[in-house]
Amino acid sequence: MKILQASTNLALSYKDQNFTYLDLLGKVAGYHELLNPFSPKKVMIYSENRPEWIFAFYGAWAQKAVVVPADVMSTAPELNYMIADCQPDVIFCSSAKKSVVDSALETIKKPTQVLVFENLQDLPKAQEIDGMEISDFQQTALIIYTSG
């Protein structure tokens, strides 16, 4: 999917920010490139609603990683359980949730890269995203932890 072929129609509006489809695909490509060095199998997202949540989600899918959205209201022990169970390679979070992630990771032995949205302003540039097409319909796309 070439970014330059994307539409300039409005794709996402959040507070005072507007993103066209071209902007959205550019940000997703940036998050995809950001994840390249980690070659993640699983990516957890633990944050309030914000555009970066969407960029991280689709950037991880472009990596063919399983996405694990964690409820923003999860406590450190609940997050610890999820991390120990699914063992994400990367966790995206907001600066407001970083201390909860740090607490949750205290007893986790597997190295996990934590990326804070507010620190990701200068994303790598990419002109296209390979991998958004589904090639394996048996591959897990998402792991959702619920209270049930």
Side-chain angles (χ1 to χ4, degrees):
M1 158 187 341
K2 294 203 185 278
I3 292 174
L4 299 176
Q5 296 174 344
S7 168
T8 56
N9 292 336
L10 182 65
L12 175 64
S13 183
Y14 179 77
K15 296 185 180 180
D16 62 344
Q17 300 175 61
N18 291 313
F19 299 90
T20 65
Y21 283 97
L22 183 64
D23 298 331
L24 177 64
L25 289 175
K27 294 289 189 178
V28 168
Y31 274 72
H32 171 264
E33 290 295 318
L34 177 71
L35 289 169
N36 269 342
F38 308 111
S39 300
K41 301 285 187 244
K42 293 184 189 125
V43 173
M44 179 176 275
I45 306 172
Y46 178 65
S47 174
E48 310 80 9
N49 289 337
R50 56 189 300 152
E52 294 86 354
W53 200 106
I54 296 167
F55 309 152
F57 184 94
Y58 285 107
W61 267 5
Q63 286 283 335
K64 304 225 184 285
V66 176
V67 178
V68 184
D71 186 329
V72 72
M73 301 301 289
S74 297
T75 63
E78 292 166 335
L79 198 60
N80 175 274
Y81 171 82
M82 290 182 257
I83 294 168
D85 185 60
C86 76
Q87 300 184 7
D89 302 297
V90 175
I91 298 174
F92 283 103
C93 68
S94 65
S95 60
K97 294 298 178 178
K98 175 80 165 64
S99 63
V100 180
V101 171
D102 290 342
S103 294
L105 287 171
E106 284 178 359
T107 62
I108 302 296
K109 293 183 186 345
K110 181 184 185 279
T112 305
Q113 181 68 45
V114 178
L115 300 173
V116 179
F117 288 135
E118 287 84 355
N119 298 339
L120 303 177
Q121 301 309 314
D122 297 322
L123 293 173
K125 302 290 182 213
Q127 289 305 308
E128 60 181 77
I129 303 171
D130 293 324
M132 291 299 283
E133 292 183 25
I134 300 170
S135 58
D136 180 2
F137 288 96
Q138 300 302 313
Q139 180 183 349
T140 301
L142 196 65
I143 297 174
I144 300 175
Y145 289 90
T146 68
S147 61

